[in-house]
Amino acid sequence: MEKKRYDNHLELLGWVAGGKWGIERYLYTLHRITGVGILLFFMIHIFESSTRIFGMKVWDPIMAAMHHPIFKMGEALVFIAFAFHALNGIRLILIELGFMVGKPEQPVYPYQSSLNVQRPLMITVMIIAGLLILLGMVDLIFLA
């Protein structure tokens, strides 16, 4: 018996350059990238915090290194990633639970009924994420 195999020639490139799926595809890719970035931040944070058990001789140089401008830039990137990832995650949960799917209709491509409901939600969520990121950057740059 022969197994059915589907051509997956794009592999990781398909995440970024899938081409025909629209902006939701790029949000999908950005959601995964920001998720991995937040995970890396948590791992670095746990490492940095755990060095405290070795005493102040180890802790102080690591904390001094964290005041380098590159870590301030990293802090800003983590905030941007977190704001995007959290709000896009809420959007995805609303869609998964069926709140923003639209009325069931005959499935004729390009599925306008779903897009007419999901696109305004996506635009609203991205505007809120942009405002949150802007407020966060003002706080990080001018008030810190």
Side-chain angles (χ1 to χ4, degrees):
M1 182 185 304
E2 188 175 321
K3 279 186 163 180
K4 272 190 171 178
R5 298 192 72 95
Y6 297 99
D7 187 20
N8 187 16
H9 65 279
L10 292 178
E11 298 173 354
L12 284 178
L13 183 63
W15 280 23
V16 179
K20 61 182 179 183
W21 290 283
I23 194 163
E24 285 82 6
R25 182 66 165 198
Y26 298 105
L27 292 177
Y28 163 88
T29 302
L30 198 55
H31 194 79
R32 272 129 190 94
I33 291 171
T34 55
V36 170
I38 291 169
L39 176 67
L40 287 175
F41 165 75
F42 281 132
M43 291 171 64
I44 292 170
H45 182 67
I46 288 170
F47 168 76
E48 169 258 331
S49 297
S50 66
T51 57
R52 178 81 175 171
I53 63 172
F54 297 114
M56 296 305 283
K57 269 176 94 172
V58 176
W59 168 263
D60 283 340
I62 290 177
M63 287 310 293
M66 293 294 166
H67 291 291
H68 192 273
I70 197 149
F71 286 104
K72 285 289 181 192
M73 192 172 81
E75 187 179 351
L77 287 175
V78 166
F79 179 77
I80 292 168
F82 180 75
F84 169 79
H85 194 83
L87 290 172
N88 193 46
I90 290 170
R91 180 186 73 88
L92 292 174
I93 288 170
L94 288 174
I95 292 170
E96 282 290 319
L97 293 176
F99 291 117
M100 304 308 259
V101 176
K103 290 182 180 176
E105 291 181 4
Q106 192 77 359
V108 178
Y109 187 78
Y111 313 116
Q112 288 299 323
S113 62
S114 288
L115 285 179
N116 287 339
V117 176
Q118 292 180 19
R119 268 295 150 82
L121 174 67
M122 184 270 302
I123 291 169
T124 304
V125 166
M126 290 303 115
I127 288 172
I128 293 171
L131 290 173
L132 188 61
I133 290 168
L134 191 66
L135 289 173
M137 290 302 104
V138 167
D139 185 51
L140 277 174
I141 293 171
F142 298 113
L143 304 177

